Amino acid sequence: MTTRKKKEEVQSKIVPVQETLVLTRTPDVIAVEIRSVDEQARKYMLQSAIDIGKKLKEAKELVPHGEWEGWLQDNVNYSQSTANNFMRLSEEYENSQAFANLSYTQAVALLSIPAEEREIFAEENKVGDLSTRELQTLIKEKKELEKQLKKANEQTEYERLELEKLKISLSEMQQQNGMNYELAERYKADLEAAQKTGDVEQINKIQTKLNQKESELVDNKKKIKELEKQLKAKPIDIPAPEIIEKVPEDVEKELAQLREQVKRNENKAMAKFAVIFETVVKDFDNLLGALYEIKTTAPDEHERFLNAVTGLLGRMSEKAK
């Protein structure tokens, strides 16, 4: 065989090389692979933790009372807190797809968020993109903010209660002042009548009573001014809305006429009525103010309270006949 023939045979046995497509390895490609593996690992770890939690709950029901902690150490080498985490995860994440991509540590961290808030919190803060440390910091900040808000609400409620106490004290003081005023006016009329008769003993007796009431009036006015000053200083004091109607003028006129009659009449029942009537008028203003607050803060309940007021006025009218 010639050299030429040998060369031709060799060439005929050579198979042509086929071109193959090779994917270029870049950082971006590697990052996609890492995220895929990480996602699968997260799902597997959380699901495994849920499964362990189910089995721990089953075991706990079978282990005699008082031996649970020892059983954990001897059989699965878990602390009681770790076992509790597994069992809580099985209870709160078993049927939830919203947390499927969380890691075990993220899921445990979210257990401190109330169940009814957890899903919204996770969605709004994109917790799946956070590290466990970042998530723990975020939860800590949330709880601190809630603590401050609770404290602020408690302070506001305390101030509201203090305000109500001041209002009650002022109302009581005004009632007392009204009674003292009516009695003082009556004593003045009695004194004038006694002076006409020249009864010295009666004059001295009435004068003593009058002096006492006038002294009480002075003291009460000081106290009322102080209470009004404190009320004005309260930052949460809400002024009476302008849309609330004031007591009609004819009622005010009637009240003024009653006062004049009491001055000229020694009838104790009339004096008592005048004082109570004035108190009712003032309290009615307060009642209207409370009714307006209900209308603005709880409109659905307004009609029920309004009907209660209307019913009360109707019964008062019937009873007075």
Side-chain angles (χ1 to χ4, degrees):
M1 183 180 294
T2 63
T3 303
R4 184 175 178 179
K5 283 185 176 181
K6 288 181 178 180
K7 186 176 180 181
E8 289 176 351
E9 286 180 2
V10 171
Q11 288 177 345
S12 65
K13 294 179 180 179
I14 296 175
V15 179
V17 178
Q18 295 180 351
E19 292 185 2
T20 58
L21 180 62
V22 178
L23 182 65
T24 304
R25 304 285 292 168
T26 67
D28 290 339
V29 171
I30 296 171
V32 171
E33 293 175 350
I34 291 173
R35 288 196 294 271
S36 177
V37 173
D38 180 68
E39 183 178 350
Q40 294 301 317
R42 282 170 181 259
K43 291 180 179 179
Y44 177 76
M45 288 178 66
L46 183 55
Q47 187 57 50
S48 297
I50 291 173
D51 292 341
I52 291 172
K54 290 179 183 178
K55 297 182 184 303
L56 285 172
K57 287 174 66 178
E58 182 182 3
K60 189 175 183 181
E61 293 179 357
L62 300 174
V63 173
H65 180 72
E67 298 180 14
W68 176 239
E69 187 172 1
W71 185 91
L72 288 172
Q73 293 177 354
D74 295 341
N75 292 276
V76 293
N77 197 29
Y78 290 154
S79 67
Q80 196 160 347
S81 62
T82 299
N84 288 341
N85 285 339
F86 280 132
M87 289 188 288
R88 281 199 65 193
L89 288 174
S90 71
E91 292 172 356
E92 305 201 31
Y93 292 110
E94 181 181 7
N95 300 316
S96 178
Q97 297 300 317
F99 306 102
N101 293 327
L102 297 181
S103 68
Y104 166 77
T105 53
Q106 287 176 320
V108 171
L110 279 175
L111 288 176
S112 62
I113 301 294
E116 64 274 11
E117 301 176 16
R118 194 176 296 140
E119 188 169 338
I120 295 176
F121 176 83
E123 183 180 347
E124 290 180 347
N125 294 282
K126 295 182 173 54
V127 298
D129 298 334
L130 303 176
S131 67
T132 301
R133 185 181 294 275
E134 289 172 333
L135 177 57
Q136 289 171 338
T137 300
L138 187 63
I139 292 173
K140 184 179 179 181
E141 291 173 351
K142 178 181 184 296
K143 290 187 175 299
E144 182 61 30
L145 183 61
E146 289 173 343
K147 183 178 178 182
Q148 293 175 5
L149 182 60
K150 182 181 178 181
K151 185 177 180 180
N153 288 337
E154 288 174 349
Q155 180 65 25
T156 301
E157 179 64 13
Y158 171 78
E159 291 178 352
R160 188 188 69 79
L161 292 174
E162 288 297 305
L163 181 63
E164 289 302 316
K165 288 180 183 178
L166 284 175
K167 286 181 177 180
I168 291 172
S169 297
L170 178 60
S171 177
E172 291 175 348
M173 190 62 64
Q174 288 172 336
Q175 291 178 31
Q176 183 62 44
N177 195 57
M179 293 179 66
N180 287 340
Y181 175 80
E182 299 297 343
L183 286 172
E185 291 299 311
R186 200 183 79 185
Y187 290 149
K188 288 179 182 178
D190 291 345
L191 181 60
E192 185 178 346
Q195 287 173 340
K196 289 180 180 178
T197 62
D199 189 338
V200 176
E201 183 178 351
Q202 186 68 8
I203 291 172
N204 292 336
K205 184 178 179 180
I206 295 172
Q207 185 66 57
T208 301
K209 291 181 179 180
L210 178 59
N211 292 342
Q212 181 182 352
K213 289 302 169 187
E214 287 181 337
S215 177
E216 290 178 6
L217 279 170
V218 172
D219 291 340
N220 284 349
K221 285 181 180 179
K222 290 180 180 179
K223 292 177 181 178
I224 288 172
K225 285 184 179 180
E226 181 59 31
L227 286 171
E228 289 175 340
K229 182 180 178 181
Q230 292 179 37
L231 280 170
K232 289 180 180 179
K234 287 292 179 182
I236 61 172
D237 189 15
I238 303 174
E242 293 182 1
I243 68 169
I244 296 179
E245 294 182 1
K246 298 297 181 182
V247 177
E249 290 185 7
D250 56 343
V251 177
E252 291 287 1
K253 289 179 181 179
E254 182 66 23
L255 183 58
Q257 291 175 6
L258 284 170
R259 286 173 178 162
E260 290 299 322
Q261 289 180 23
V262 170
K263 291 179 184 179
R264 301 189 300 269
N265 198 314
E266 295 183 6
N267 190 311
K268 293 182 179 180
M270 290 185 63
K272 183 178 179 181
F273 179 88
V275 173
I276 295 174
F277 188 82
E278 184 172 11
T279 301
V280 170
V281 170
K282 291 177 180 177
D283 286 343
F284 188 72
D285 262 343
N286 293 333
L287 185 64
L288 287 177
L291 192 62
Y292 175 78
E293 289 182 19
I294 292 172
K295 185 177 181 180
T296 56
T297 58
D300 294 340
E301 298 291 331
H302 177 257
E303 185 174 355
R304 182 163 66 91
F305 284 90
L306 179 60
N307 290 338
V309 173
T310 305
L312 175 62
L313 292 175
R315 289 196 298 274
M316 288 174 64
S317 179
E318 291 175 3
K319 294 287 185 181
K321 292 180 180 179

